[in-house]
Amino acid sequence: MLTPTLALRSLANRRLATSLTVASIALSVALLVGVEAVRRGVREGFAGTIRNTDLIVGARGGSQQLLLSSVFGIGSPAGSMTWKTYERWSKHAAIAWTIPISLGDSYRGFRLIGTTPEFFERYRFRDDGRITLASGRLLAGESDLVIGSMVAERLGLRLDTAIAVTHGLRGEGIADHDHHLFTVVGILAPTLTPVDRSVFVTLEGITAMHEDPEEEHEEDRANRKDAAGAPQAHSHDAEQESITAFLAGTQNRFESLGLQREMNTDVTEPLTAILPAVALTELWNSIAYAEDGAQIISGAVLLVGLLGMLVALYSTLEERRREMAILRSLGAGPRRIASLLVFESGVLSAAGAVAGMAAAYAVIIAGRGVAEQRFGVWIQVAAPGTLEWAYLIGVVVAGLLVGLLPAWRAYRNALADGLTVRL
Amino acid sequence: MTPTAERAVVFSDVRFRYRTGSEVLSVDRFEIGTGERVFLHGPSGSGKTTLLGLVAGVLPATAGRVEVLGRALGDLRPSERDAHRGVHIGYLFQLFNLIPWLSVEENIGLPCRLHAARRARLPGGSIERAVAQLAERLAIVPLLGQRVNELSVGQQQRVAAARALIGAPRLVIADEPTSAIDTDLRDRFIELLFSQCAEAGSSLLFVSHDLSLSARFDRSVSLPAINRVTA
């Protein structure tokens, strides 16, 4: 019990050096834990982009392509599927609900999603997050248009604004369908998902948009081929002939895998079905190498922090030879003197680790709102996990190991100096 | 042979050399009786520090037998020698005797906190009471609450004496404890040391190069006279 007391008193006596050392370790631990927490937070936020949907089904193509195009609005879909195929699957015994989506058009850089009003009811993100209206109402008629929060903010759109929608996915209207005007009837509340960057219309609206054959020209045809991959991507009939993809919920979640296989191997029309959770994880892993770099850097910073402690402790040894000799004269063995230094480094690193962890969480919790507003990134804050505790323990163990060096030096000094002190 | 139980310190044919050096000490016979006050003098370099290191059990004799308070130090493991010193010996340095990050009170009580056996020697086992009593006798009661670095050198030496004397150690070693304080304070300090050692029945080994002090001691030993290694 005496060693801890003595070590603490000694550290308290060197308050400035002690707090600077603790601060430098805390800073590096905060960085390490912070990078990890943000990484995990962003990953969980990312994984929660779409929930409750068991399957996403589109034309035969890559699963990442399907996920990116249908959920994130990135890239173009592999093709389309016939309405007949969609209807057939929606009547499948294992399926509880389906929501068709039709992609391929955009409004001033924001993608247009043709779907049914049920989309807003079924779509879930993160922990049971639901799409809600900030103002107005949801889709009803073919001229209705509902916009995500970012679309409203960036384009300064208000309710009742009448707009024409661009055909294809390019930014500005190469071929505006200005014969069919839509009216903004609803603005959605922020969800921090791609929904915020989307413009929603009904399937009928999509059909109506492409209705007038006079408006069709060569450029448009090529454009569509480009965007949807198949000339029949947009129907010219009043009847919906094809859609791009559909979201599906199963009767029983355990049937998802079997259903996926069934869809992927069906020969009537070649389809690709993905499990969103699995595909999101795959997508994350494919871009995860960037986070390794951040971790390597924070690991290096931690190393610097520990080396700082080593220097701080080591540099006190010379000036502390006198007090070591006094302790020796009082019957303290070289081992107790060494353990004093090991204990000091343990206290420094433990204090630094705890302070750093607290600081990291404080900053994340305080800065979460800013990240949300400025970058549209949702950081899920979770209680420290196994990894964080492992970091803490690792830092303390590393601190103790680092402390062994000055302790060994003090031990040697104690043996060599005995009761004499060379000042 | 004299029964060693009556001797606080017995050196028999003791040789000492540092690991890489030549012999620095060679003493055939050196003794301190129980309760005896011995004045040891010699010029610097005559091996005083080495001899004190041997008595304190910090340095192991290269050859021969060092017996302190009835224990042959050569038979003890280093940790046992440390404990032996902590429990039975009070040690005074020339200067900077106190640990700066402990209070005056904590400095005095430290030997009893380091060694339970030393604490057990206190009446009632109470460190607080023993510190208070010693402080009163050494006239340092007002200093107890002060910070170590606020004390004068003379005050520091009295606090250090209190720490050396707490728990009535059987042997007190003083390594030039008065060389940094002026004559008036020095005399009073030595008087205090004597009276406290007498009360506790402690033997005293006092090292100094100030020969004017030697007359006050029971016996005066010249180290160059007993050390066969000449500097």
Side-chain angles (χ1 to χ4, degrees), chain A residues 9 322-323 328 333 420, chain B residues 49 82 85 93 95 101 106:
Chain A
R9 294 298 300 272
R322 162 62 60 175
E323 94 193 25
R328 285 284 278 147
T420 59
Chain B
T49 307
D82 288 329
R85 172 173 69 256
F93 287 104
L95 257 180
W101 34 267
E106 288 166 329

Side-chain angles (χ1 to χ4, degrees), chain B residues 75-94:
Chain B
D75 297 345
L76 301 181
R77 282 178 290 137
S79 61
E80 291 172 327
R81 289 205 301 268
D82 288 329
H84 184 255
R85 172 173 69 256
V87 175
H88 299 294
I89 298 177
Y91 203 102
L92 266 167
F93 287 104
Q94 178 177 0

